[in-house]
Structures are given as structure tokens and as C-alpha cells.
Amino acid sequence: FDLNSAENVDESQHGTHVAGIIAAKHTSPAKGVAPDAIILPLDFMNEEGGFTSAGILSIRYAVDKGARIINASWGSSSCSALLAEEISSLQEKNVLFVAAAGNSGNNLSVFPEFPAAYINPTQITVSALSVRGFMAGFSNFGSLSNVMAPGEAIFSTFPGNNYAFLDGTSMAAPMVSGVAALLLSINPNMKADVLRTVIFNSVSPGAFNVSTRGEINIPAALNLLSN
């Protein structure tokens, strides 16, 4: 991870897919949730993984460059006090942190993964819905996860001007990040904790094992700010 390098090579093709879910233009086959959002891609992982220290540097770099939303479609079972402190500090910096819940099919309260299992006033942890509208079998869940979003057979951008379907909470998290970007486009001055509350209050309720018991509802979220 080199902050002085402009080169960004998506070896795993994962980041390109995540970015497209958020911001792919609607003139392309894959249509992003918030096509006018600006993506700041920070690649600190390859197919073999990455270092938590590089993840922390990525968060700091994004905040320094003015990012209002950080999408963290990554994680592990290792708990880092430094990473926890860094994410906690985002509240005073007015930055929303959106984390993928993880794909182990576990209750995060019993088998935590991080950063998903951290609890912060400006953090949203996202579990994945299947194409049938149920919780995906691979998705982590429980009270430490907050909302559900589509995460199975998600069509998005791929390197080399290609497109592909992928599964994972990594695909669910950018759905929520995209909604957050749309809400900020309506009210750029909204505080990150208020943004989180608006998203929570707009979910469609169901029998989901997450803290809000609901799934993301984009029209409802936008209506809360428009009315």
C-alpha cells in the first residue's frame, strides 16, 4: 500500500464490482445506486488479503481527502484496537462508516468479525439478502448487524470493461453506501449520525435477525428527507 502511488490495480476484481454498485452510470448495463457519487478507490488488499495497518491508513487518507462515506467491504476475525479507535474517531469527523457483515453465516455476537462487529454512532453494518428476499445463507447476522440489503447475484462492473454477478455482504454494503450518498446529495449538511438514523428509520421491516429487523428501502429513505 503506497499513498504516493496513483496506480490502483484491482487484482481480485472485487473493488471494481463494489464501486459499480455504488456509482455505475445508468448509461451502462450495470446501474449504480448513486451514479453521480464520486468514488475514491483505495486498494490495500490483493487476492491473499491485506494488512490492518494499511486499512487504517486508507481510512485516514479518505477522510483527509474529504470523504463523507467509507464503504468497508472487507474484514477478518482479528480484532484491532487501533482499527476500532480509528473508526470510532469518524464520529467527530462527521464520516459514515459502512461495513460488510461478513460471509461466514454466523451470529456476529458469537463469532465476531471486524470491522463489522464494532459498535459506533456513525457505523452501519450490513447483512445480505438473497434474490428471494430472505437472509442469504452465507451472511453473518445478529444484533451487531444493523440492516439487510441485496447481496446475492448482484450484477456490477468488472475490470477490463466487463460485468459480472457476485454474491456477498461485500455487495450488500455498497447498496447502503449508495443510499447514504443519495441522501447526502439532498442534504449535504446532514450529520453522519443523523444520516445513519434516517437509513434505520426507512427500512422495510421483516423477520430479519439484525438490529433494525429491516431491509434497506431507498424510496422510503428519500421520502423522509423530501417531505
Side-chain angles (χ1 to χ4, degrees):
F1 180 74
D2 184 1
L3 290 176
N4 297 313
S5 173
E7 184 179 11
N8 197 317
V9 179
D10 186 7
E11 294 182 14
S12 67
Q13 305 175 325
H14 178 273
T16 303
H17 198 272
V18 169
I21 293 169
I22 298 172
K25 297 298 182 183
H26 286 193
T27 52
S28 76
K31 295 171 173 54
V33 177
D36 291 329
I38 298 172
I39 299 291
L40 175 59
L42 294 171
D43 185 7
F44 70 94
M45 304 180 73
N46 57 27
E47 292 178 339
E48 297 179 355
F51 294 100
T52 300
S53 58
I56 292 171
L57 287 175
S58 295
I59 294 170
R60 290 178 183 172
Y61 184 87
V63 173
D64 288 345
K65 292 298 181 181
R68 296 287 308 278
I69 304 162
I70 293 176
N71 186 88
S73 286
W74 49 269
S76 76
S77 59
S78 299
C79 181
S80 163
L82 290 177
L83 177 60
E85 291 173 6
E86 192 68 32
I87 297 171
S88 179
S89 74
L90 296 178
Q91 180 183 9
E92 63 190 52
K93 298 169 185 174
N94 198 29
V95 175
L96 186 72
F97 186 83
V98 182
N103 304 322
S104 302
N106 291 326
N107 188 326
L108 286 171
S109 296
V110 181
F111 299 102
E113 295 183 27
F114 304 94
Y118 294 137
I119 302 173
N120 292 291
T122 58
Q123 176 170 332
I124 300 176
T125 296
V126 187
S127 295
L129 287 167
S130 71
V131 293
R132 294 175 179 263
F134 301 106
M135 188 182 75
F138 58 77
S139 179
N140 288 343
F141 56 89
S143 62
L144 294 180
S145 186
N146 304 123
V147 299
M148 307 289 299
E152 184 177 69
I154 304 301
F155 185 72
S156 186
T157 50
F158 234 48
N161 294 320
N162 293 317
Y163 302 89
F165 291 92
L166 289 181
D167 302 335
T169 59
S170 284
M171 286 62 253
M175 296 283 184
V176 176
S177 294
V179 172
L182 288 176
L183 293 172
L184 281 179
S185 72
I186 296 173
N187 184 356
N189 296 320
M190 185 164 41
K191 297 295 185 182
D193 57 346
V194 176
L195 178 58
R196 178 180 185 258
T197 299
V198 170
I199 291 173
F200 286 3
N201 288 344
S202 66
V203 300
S204 296
F208 301 113
N209 193 348
V210 293
S211 66
T212 65
R213 311 296 293 177
E215 61 180 283
I216 193 72
N217 184 322
I218 298 175
L222 298 179
N223 285 337
L224 280 177
L225 290 191
S226 300
N227 295 331

